[in-house]
Amino acid sequence: MKILFLNGPNLNLLGTREPEVYGRLTLKDIEAKVRDRAAKLGAEIDFRQSNLEGELVAWIQQSKGIYNVIVLNAAAYTHTSIALRDAISAVGVPTIEIHLSNVHAREEFRHKSLIAPVCKGQIAGFGAESYVLALEAAVTVNATSK
Ligand code: CA2
């Protein structure tokens, strides 16, 4: 089973600012956590970050036939990007939306996700554990069946 983890804009800053919202771990720390758990579950993962919407769209498009599941923290693009939504919908690779913070408990503009309707489900509010929970969902909750 191959799972593609995609991270959107500014997540490269994790661990350097706003630890009260996003925690103290860097994205590399989170990747290590996910790799550790994936090895135990026998899953293969790739883990990427981009600040560019088009690059995320390209990675989603290229995932077809290679990855069983995408785990996507689209960051601010969650709330703005029709392009990401269309890419997820067009490619048809089951996608799990994740967030470190509980977006529903924050500013109103974060309550709306443009990608949620085309995702299998959403995991939000568990900090770095959101990534591990998504991995477990991908492997154990049959995320590949549409
Ligand atoms: O909670 C999440 O995972 C978010 O996807 C994070 C996004 C935010 O726009 C979403 O509403 C919720 C922001 C990522 C920016 O990360 C930073 C990390 C450290 C310092 C500043 C920003």
Side-chain angles (χ1 to χ4, degrees):
M1 170 146 201
K2 285 190 79 167
I3 304 165
L4 177 61
F5 282 78
L6 294 182
N7 294 281
N10 297 308
L11 287 166
N12 54 312
L13 299 177
L14 280 179
T16 63
R17 286 177 211 129
E18 300 189 49
E20 66 291 349
V21 183
Y22 299 119
R24 293 192 182 280
L25 297 187
T26 64
L27 198 57
K28 279 271 162 231
D29 295 331
I30 295 175
E31 178 179 350
K33 230 175 154 34
V34 171
R35 284 199 179 280
D36 191 54
R37 187 76 187 118
K40 288 177 182 129
L41 292 170
E44 195 181 322
I45 69 151
D46 282 317
F47 201 96
R48 303 180 194 158
Q49 187 273 333
S50 179
N51 292 324
L52 305 178
E53 186 177 21
E55 190 161 37
L56 294 162
V57 167
W59 286 338
I60 291 167
Q61 288 183 6
Q62 291 156 14
S63 69
K64 195 167 183 63
I66 301 174
Y67 296 96
N68 302 95
V69 178
I70 297 171
V71 174
L72 175 61
N73 185 347
Y77 290 145
T78 306
H79 318 297
T80 63
S81 180
I82 298 168
L84 282 181
R85 177 195 175 119
D86 286 349
I88 295 163
S89 174
V91 163
V93 175
T95 299
I96 300 172
E97 174 183 352
I98 63 164
H99 300 285
L100 293 153
S101 63
N102 179 358
V103 283
H104 304 287
R106 300 182 63 195
E107 303 96 321
E108 197 155 342
F109 66 84
R110 294 187 206 277
H111 298 181
K112 178 74 187 167
S113 165
L114 294 189
I115 63 172
V118 294
C119 287
K120 289 285 293 182
Q122 184 191 67
I123 298 170
F126 297 96
E129 289 305 316
S130 290
Y131 286 74
V132 178
L133 290 168
L135 170 67
E136 287 174 357
V139 173
T140 65
V141 189
N142 197 18
T144 52
S145 70
K146 289 222 241 148

